[in-house]
Amino acid sequence: MAIERTAGTRRRSLAAIGLALAVGVVVGQLTPIVAASAEKPVQPGAQGVGPQTPSAKVPLAGVDMTQTYVNPINLPGMAVRNIVGTMPPTDANVANTSQIPASLNLETWTAASGRTLASRSTVGFTRISENSARTGADWSALNVDGTIYLYASGAMQNAPNNNRTVWSTTDYLTWTPHEMNLGLVAPTVVQIGDKFYMAGNNTPVYQADSPTGPWTSMGSFLRPTGQTLSVGDVQFFLDTDGRLYLTYNIGSPIMGAELDPNNPRQLISDSVVLWTFDPRQEWQHIGDNKATYTHGYVEGSQLFKVGDTYYLSVASGGTEYTTYATGVMSSDKPLSGFKETQQNPIGYGNNHPSAVYPNAGHGSFVLDNSGNLVFFYTYVIAYEEFFERRLGMDICNVIPAGPQEGAIDCELSNTPQLAPGKKISGRDDVGLYNVATNSQAYWASSYAPGRNPYYGGDRSLSTWWEPADSDTAPTYIRGFGTVFHISAAQIQWKELGRTFTKDNAVQYTLEYKDIPTNTWRPLVDRSTNTTAYTADYVTFDRVLTNAVRLKILGTTENVKVGVHELNVFGENYNLVASKGMITP
């Protein structure tokens, strides 16, 4: 089962991760490459040894690339958020301090005081939003007889009608969108018998006969006293013994209570504190640089269970910051005794700065029918405005023995991974690099002011290449700096303007430079594409090349598009080995 760690997997013990962080190890480490003249190094994590040199990725043999994925997930029909932002004409009232003294003069502070101070310290500030933007966050997964359903916050405008889409998959590779009759912010869904129950931020509880609805209201949550309970970031958890629980709150403390499984809106126990903001833990601080001790916006809790152990996950750091992260505590009881038995936050930092998305915020864990513990998480772009977000997915494991027995072990990935349940030789990282990051090797048919082709491969989703308005045949070439065998690519589109919808699909072709003939040859033909992918992941037969050429043909809604990132995945390990430079 995937929740058990085996020798040879890319997942390492957290002790090893700590050692790896000390020496700057990146994710995806695989079997070390041993030079003919070198002594075989001690494996990372071995006891009684000093820091180890990171070992390079080795491509996995026998991989069917159609069975791989890359973050962000190739999710069709993601919601569009349209927020118009402009700078005020003068700096009058910007950095207004009139509301700050009352907060500063409090003799003692709580986490709530910190949140208040933050809001008062930003009075008068605004931000520029140039375009509408795709968005999805607060992912909540439900396993229904082997089919995974994924619910999410969307544009968060005009709820409960903002994002009515729920996606389903049976293989983690193909996602089918379903339109529901309502959409909630930070939704949670639980199945009890043949009924489904959904709730969201400050909403009633809804019920349906299907995970896709239609949903009808049962009314608000009720305290044991009968008083209405209206709270945010709620999550249901149905235990293996049939008892039902609720965790909730946006901001510390995270609370929990037991619900009546026959009437899931009714609390049958008083709420208890499960998690509080701890300013001594830097990962909980708000902000990209974690400089703020006052508050962390602890939110997005989830109670889940693996074996006999209960886990409580929370997100902290602010969904508008790229250091948004998730931490986990564990207990042998569902509503008490939670302790940290591991390094927090999980899955964070090990692949930065090589990762485009170094965060894993508000999301959820789900155990599938094969025993895979899959983590769906939010990562943040926050260029157009702070609710511009995407979906990440990775497999986690439970450490079976040792000082951190029972701890959740996750690593983020940003290169091709085998879908959950499809490991080869105990591995899911297929050993490819993103080879299209050479900052000096590019060409474009044109570029708009300030949007030059460098930005299409700078490992940042806050920048993009954009063709000039007059360019009727936009073309973008990315060179690799050397030769690689390539077998997959991911194009992260930047849709421009404010008129596109979630159904806007980009049409294009992708070619490679054939080295023997010095000509461009086809890789991918999406000239008639009608599926609205924000991050289009494509695989193809392995070829040897030094460059790819992207031709943008248009979109189904006649919208101008640019490229956040053109990622190409490949390796030259086998080429180098064949020339005798290394011993395979």
Side-chain angles (χ1 to χ4, degrees):
M1 289 180 26
I3 60 173
E4 298 177 351
R5 295 161 48 91
T6 58
T9 67
R10 76 179 178 95
R11 315 294 181 185
R12 295 164 288 165
S13 71
L14 290 174
I17 290 176
L19 175 62
L21 285 173
V23 297
V25 177
V26 298
V27 296
Q29 288 193 166
L30 302 173
T31 307
I33 301 174
V34 184
S37 61
E39 183 178 330
K40 186 174 182 178
V42 179
Q43 291 296 315
Q47 299 298 316
V49 299
Q52 300 299 301
T53 300
S55 48
K57 286 189 177 188
V58 177
L60 186 60
V63 174
D64 177 357
M65 290 300 294
T66 66
Q67 302 300 301
T68 63
Y69 72 92
V70 162
N71 288 316
I73 298 303
N74 214 2
L75 206 61
M78 190 174 289
V80 176
R81 183 172 167 88
N82 185 9
I83 298 294
V84 178
T86 58
M87 290 287 102
T90 73
D91 68 355
N93 202 44
V94 174
N96 188 325
T97 61
S98 62
Q99 298 181 35
I100 296 177
S103 296
L104 286 175
N105 291 334
L106 293 174
E107 290 188 7
T108 59
W109 278 1
T110 67
S113 301
R115 294 194 301 276
T116 301
L117 179 64
S119 64
R120 292 175 177 177
S121 295
T122 56
V123 172
F125 287 99
T126 186
R127 64 189 302 155
I128 296 172
S129 177
E130 298 179 85
N131 308 278
S132 296
R134 299 281 182 159
T135 186
D138 309 330
W139 307 94
S140 183
L142 177 69
N143 182 358
V144 182
D145 298 326
T147 297
I148 304 299
Y149 289 86
L150 197 59
Y151 304 83
S153 296
M156 301 201 298
Q157 295 168 304
N158 302 316
N161 300 311
N162 61 11
N163 171 50
R164 299 186 178 192
T165 303
V166 55
W167 294 267
S168 68
T169 187
T170 57
D171 61 6
Y172 302 100
L173 300 170
T174 303
W175 292 88
T176 301
H178 309 270
E179 197 77 2
M180 301 189 295
N181 65 315
L182 78 163
L184 307 182
V185 173
T188 177
V189 178
V190 65
Q191 180 183 11
I192 304 175
D194 58 358
K195 294 288 186 180
F196 297 85
Y197 300 91
M198 179 167 68
N201 282 359
N202 305 303
T203 72
V205 178
Y206 298 88
Q207 66 177 346
D209 296 326
S210 161
T212 61
W215 302 94
T216 58
S217 175
M218 300 174 60
S220 299
F221 287 107
L222 297 175
R223 300 179 187 273
T225 60
Q227 296 172 303
T228 297
L229 176 67
S230 182
V231 289
D233 278 9
V234 294
Q235 276 286 325
F236 292 118
F237 166 64
L238 182 65
D239 204 346
T240 50
D241 60 5
R243 298 173 72 175
L244 181 66
Y245 300 91
L246 180 75
T247 61
Y248 63 88
N249 251 4
I250 301 176
S252 184
I254 298 299
M255 308 294 291
E258 187 171 357
L259 297 171
D260 181 354
N262 297 311
N263 180 17
R265 60 187 289 245
Q266 179 65 61
L267 277 67
I268 59 174
S269 75
D270 291 330
S271 297
V272 296
V273 174
L274 300 179
W275 186 306
T276 56
F277 168 64
D278 184 355
R280 295 165 297 184
Q281 296 192 28
E282 185 183 74
W283 75 270
Q284 294 186 35
H285 293 183
I286 199 166
D288 276 322
N289 293 317
K290 299 299 184 185
T292 303
Y293 270 82
T294 56
H295 63 301
Y297 284 100
V298 178
E299 59 184 352
S301 63
Q302 184 201 10
L303 184 62
F304 63 101
K305 187 179 183 181
V306 181
D308 295 327
T309 302
Y310 296 90
Y311 295 92
L312 178 68
S313 66
V314 301
S316 190
T319 193
E320 67 270 43
Y321 298 105
T322 57
T323 52
Y324 199 31
T326 294
V328 174
M329 298 179 77
S330 60
S331 175
D332 59 1
K333 295 180 288 292
L335 291 180
S336 64
F338 283 96
K339 297 179 181 179
E340 290 187 69
T341 60
Q342 62 181 70
Q343 172 183 295
N344 277 326
I346 60 170
Y348 165 74
N350 299 341
N351 59 352
H352 184 70
S354 67
V356 177
Y357 353 92
N359 49 50
H362 186 166
S364 74
F365 297 81
V366 66
L367 269 173
D368 66 17
N369 285 13
S370 298
N372 299 296
L373 180 60
V374 186
F375 181 31
F376 296 99
Y377 53 87
T378 300
Y379 67 84
V380 181
I381 300 171
Y383 177 85
E384 299 293 354
E385 58 93 39
F386 60 80
F387 285 139
E388 185 180 1
R389 300 169 292 182
R390 298 285 191 271
L391 167 66
M393 177 186 79
D394 279 298
I395 307 169
C396 300
N397 296 277
V398 175
I399 298 176
Q404 292 177 314
E405 179 179 352
I408 300 294
D409 179 12
C410 299
E411 293 181 10
L412 303 189
S413 68
N414 67 343
T415 57
Q417 309 291 308
L418 285 165
K422 300 184 182 297
K423 288 186 178 181
I424 297 177
S425 302
R427 285 173 45 183
D428 43 33
D429 187 317
V430 302
L432 302 184
Y433 287 93
N434 181 3
V435 303
T437 57
N438 189 309
S439 62
Q440 306 304 317
Y442 56 77
W443 179 90
S445 54
S446 67
Y447 61 93
R451 308 291 185 194
N452 79 59
Y454 167 85
Y455 296 122
D458 64 347
R459 297 185 299 179
S460 170
L461 293 177
S462 295
T463 59
W464 64 88
W465 162 70
E466 177 184 332
D469 290 341
S470 59
D471 192 342
T472 59
T475 302
Y476 182 58
I477 297 175
R478 198 80 212 179
F480 308 152
T482 186
V483 293
F484 290 92
H485 285 106
I486 64 171
S487 52
Q490 181 197 56
I491 308 164
Q492 299 188 53
W493 299 110
K494 178 60 178 178
E495 294 158 294
L496 301 163
R498 301 191 182 277
T499 63
F500 61 92
T501 74
K502 68 183 182 67
D503 299 317
N504 183 52
V506 183
Q507 298 169 335
Y508 65 95
T509 61
L510 187 68
E511 303 166 306
Y512 75 99
K513 178 54 70 81
D514 181 60
I515 292 174
T517 63
N518 196 30
T519 59
W520 294 104
R521 294 197 171 181
L523 277 176
V524 177
D525 185 348
R526 301 294 293 272
S527 58
T528 59
N529 175 47
T530 57
T531 304
Y533 288 126
T534 304
D536 203 349
Y537 179 59
V538 292
T539 62
F540 38 80
D541 291 340
R542 181 171 173 264
V543 296
L544 183 68
T545 186
N546 70 323
V548 295
R549 180 168 72 175
L550 173 68
K551 291 185 174 182
I552 301 175
L553 306 179
T555 77
T556 54
E557 296 182 357
N558 196 28
V559 171
K560 183 183 180 184
V561 294
V563 175
H564 273 301
E565 292 292 302
L566 172 56
N567 298 321
V568 181
F569 302 102
E571 53 84 17
N572 58 15
Y573 168 87
N574 287 294
L575 177 63
V576 172
S578 70
K579 300 296 184 182
M581 184 175 178
I582 55 177
T583 301

